[in-house]
Amino acid sequence: GAYEADPTKSIAMAIKLPMEQKVNEYVSEHQMFRFFFTRKVMMAYTADAFIACPGGYGTFDEIFEMLTLQQTNKSHRVPVILFGVDFWQPIYDFIVSTMEEKGFIDPRDSDLFIMTDSVDEILALFKRLKIHA
């Protein structure tokens, strides 16, 4: 979507891994990182929003890092959007039924993110918050 909106502003922060994919063709600029923590710091510092699609350990690591930074007021609050409700629902259920119920997180912490299957909902949120208006 970013590439279609403006091919000069589709930017990626990629990680160098021995077995992973390369930067895709829809990226006009990219920065390669050797370490995950460096990449996460740069993402947390520069992002206006985070959208996570279904993924593996790396996706979970990045999302929980962003949520932790916001929960502890170590970074500014930006929307964290979990795209793909079927994938993320079991994680949400665990957060509420286990982490929240056992007192490991505050009940308000589940408000740090939203889950959706709707691109229109994300666009409406971005317009309302004036993200790249």
Side-chain angles (χ1 to χ4, degrees):
Y3 186 83
E4 290 176 9
D6 185 345
T8 66
K9 294 183 180 178
S10 180
I11 301 167
M13 294 183 188
I15 189 86
K16 292 179 187 174
L17 295 173
M19 70 293 195
E20 292 294 324
Q21 71 278 359
K22 59 183 172 140
V23 176
N24 71 52
E25 71 252 31
Y26 299 104
V27 173
S28 56
E29 295 181 45
H30 71 278
Q31 177 64 50
M32 294 298 290
F33 291 90
R34 183 171 176 203
F35 299 107
F36 286 101
F37 73 90
T38 310
R39 179 172 170 241
K40 286 190 295 188
V41 167
M42 292 304 298
M43 287 192 320
Y45 180 74
T46 61
D48 294 322
F50 297 99
I51 301 175
C53 294
Y57 288 141
T59 302
F60 280 53
D61 176 54
E62 290 170 349
I63 289 304
F64 280 105
E65 178 80 14
M66 298 309 140
L67 293 172
T68 301
L69 290 170
Q70 291 186 35
Q71 175 201 45
T72 58
N73 295 314
K74 298 296 182 187
S75 74
H76 57 287
R77 295 275 169 115
V78 299
V80 175
I81 301 159
L82 306 179
F83 190 78
V85 174
D86 285 346
F87 180 83
W88 294 109
Q89 188 67 51
I91 302 303
Y92 177 80
D93 294 342
F94 174 78
I95 289 169
V96 172
S97 69
T98 302
M99 296 169 70
E100 192 176 296
E101 282 185 14
K102 293 187 183 294
F104 293 121
I105 63 170
D106 187 280
R108 294 172 291 174
D109 290 341
S110 59
D111 295 334
L112 291 171
F113 60 91
I114 64 167
M115 292 186 307
T116 187
D117 287 321
S118 170
V119 173
D120 291 336
E121 182 181 355
I122 295 169
L123 293 174
L125 174 66
F126 283 11
K127 286 179 185 175
R128 189 173 77 248
L129 298 175
K130 297 184 169 109
I131 296 174
H132 299 288

